[in-house]
Every structure is written in structure tokens, then in C-alpha cells.
Amino acid sequence: MQKVTIATDWLESCAGCHMSLLDVDERLFDLLKAVEFTSSPITDLKVPPEAGVDVGILSGAIGNSHQEEVARTMRERSRILVALGDCAVFGGVCVLRNLFARDAVLARGYMETESTDPGSRVPDSEELGALTDRAYPVNQVVDVDVYLPGCPPSADAIHFVLSELVEGRIPVLPDELLHYD
């Protein structure tokens, strides 16, 4: 049986969704019998293969040009794209910056915090990507096929979604997996 290929990446987020993925614990061993993770932020391979994957998973909102490129690449190379967590699904806490002008956000983040050294400036490097005018949930930049909200989603919910995808079904989350403890 050919394994389902999965690529994951995180965008503007705290990494809590990927920590919740790891909280699937020993059930990961059963999933790995049917799944191959091709790339992730916690492995050496960061980008989904050009040949594509069956499932792409993105956590986090989109807040800069680099993250927008990552989301577009993941969409292009994934047959099914999953938005994982409240930041990817709704924008989460990341969209709070949308209440302020872009330049004010950069100034506060790099020059005006209480711990910033005097004379600090906003970094200017192509490697960082340009801050977008707003932070966006993933579906405002690319099409999403499956939404898994939560901050972070529970390991049980993640396991359910991955198990359904392995079986070739688009998951429909039961109410008991959509709770916030």
C-alpha cells in the first residue's frame, strides 16, 4: 500500500499546533505505517517536494511576503490543504496587529519595546520577508480544503483528521472534538 504523503509548515504562529501534533504520542507510530512526512519545520527538509504531496498542513496566519510564498507553494504542491489551528483558520491573535498601521507595528516591535536597546532600527533584509499590510488567515491567500480550529487543536482532533485523510475521506469534525478546555 502506498503511503499518504504529508508536508507541514508553520507561518506566523507560536508553534503550539505542531506541538499538539507531536502530542498525538504513540498513535503517531500507527499513523506512520500509512503516512510519510516529506517535510516539516522540525525536519531537515522544509519545502514540500516539487512532485507534490497528498496532504499539506499549514499552521499560523500569513503576515509577511515569505509566509505568503510558503502558503502558495504548499497549495500548489498539495492535493488537500489543511488549515491547522485558530491562526490559520481565523487569523487568531496574529490579526490583532491589523488594528494598527504597518509602520506602527514595525516600530513597536523593533524600536519601542521596553527591552529594546536605544538606537535600534527595523531590520531590512530580504531573508526576513516584507511585512504584509495586514495579517491574514490562510484561506484569504490560498484555497483551503479542511479547517481544524483550536488554539491549539487537541491531539485527538489532529489524530482524527489525519486518520480520516489516510482513509481517503475529507474529515468532518464531530462536536466532541470542537471544544476548548
Side-chain angles (χ1 to χ4, degrees):
M1 178 176 141
Q2 186 171 357
K3 290 187 174 186
V4 173
T5 53
I6 297 177
T8 73
D9 211 330
W10 65 50
L11 305 169
E12 189 168 293
S13 64
C14 65
C17 294
H18 275 76
M19 295 301 106
S20 197
L21 170 63
L22 294 176
D23 283 343
V24 172
D25 294 332
E26 64 273 2
R27 292 175 293 178
L28 271 175
F29 293 112
D30 289 332
L31 281 173
L32 288 173
K33 294 174 184 169
V35 165
E36 175 188 356
F37 285 93
T38 63
S39 57
S40 82
I42 55 176
T43 61
D44 288 340
L45 301 174
K46 308 291 186 203
V47 180
E50 288 184 24
V53 293
D54 297 306
V55 178
I57 300 173
L58 289 174
S59 65
I62 296 171
N64 68 39
S65 58
H66 174 71
Q67 294 161 351
E68 187 174 345
E69 181 182 325
V70 168
R72 291 188 191 287
T73 299
M74 185 69 81
R75 174 70 272 186
E76 290 171 9
R77 296 181 181 180
S78 302
R79 192 171 55 80
I80 296 170
L81 182 62
V82 177
L84 177 67
D86 282 355
C87 294
V89 173
F90 306 115
V93 296
C94 304
V95 298
L96 290 175
R97 80 163 167 101
N98 295 348
L99 300 171
F100 305 94
R102 181 182 168 275
D103 290 342
V105 170
L106 289 169
R108 178 67 184 147
Y110 289 104
M111 301 180 333
E112 300 170 356
T113 64
E114 290 70 16
S115 61
T116 304
D117 290 333
S120 295
R121 62 181 181 79
V122 175
D124 182 23
S125 170
E126 290 182 23
E127 291 182 14
L128 296 176
L131 194 68
T132 53
D133 60 334
R134 305 168 30 106
Y136 300 94
V138 172
N139 72 348
Q140 289 188 13
V141 175
V142 297
D143 291 335
V144 171
D145 303 301
V146 176
Y147 296 88
L148 179 52
C151 185
S154 70
D156 290 341
I158 293 171
H159 181 261
F160 174 81
V161 166
L162 293 177
S163 296
E164 288 291 289
L165 291 169
V166 164
E167 293 299 323
R169 298 185 290 261
I170 295 295
V172 177
L173 286 165
D175 289 345
E176 62 266 18
L177 291 179
L178 291 173
H179 62 88
Y180 299 92
D181 296 333

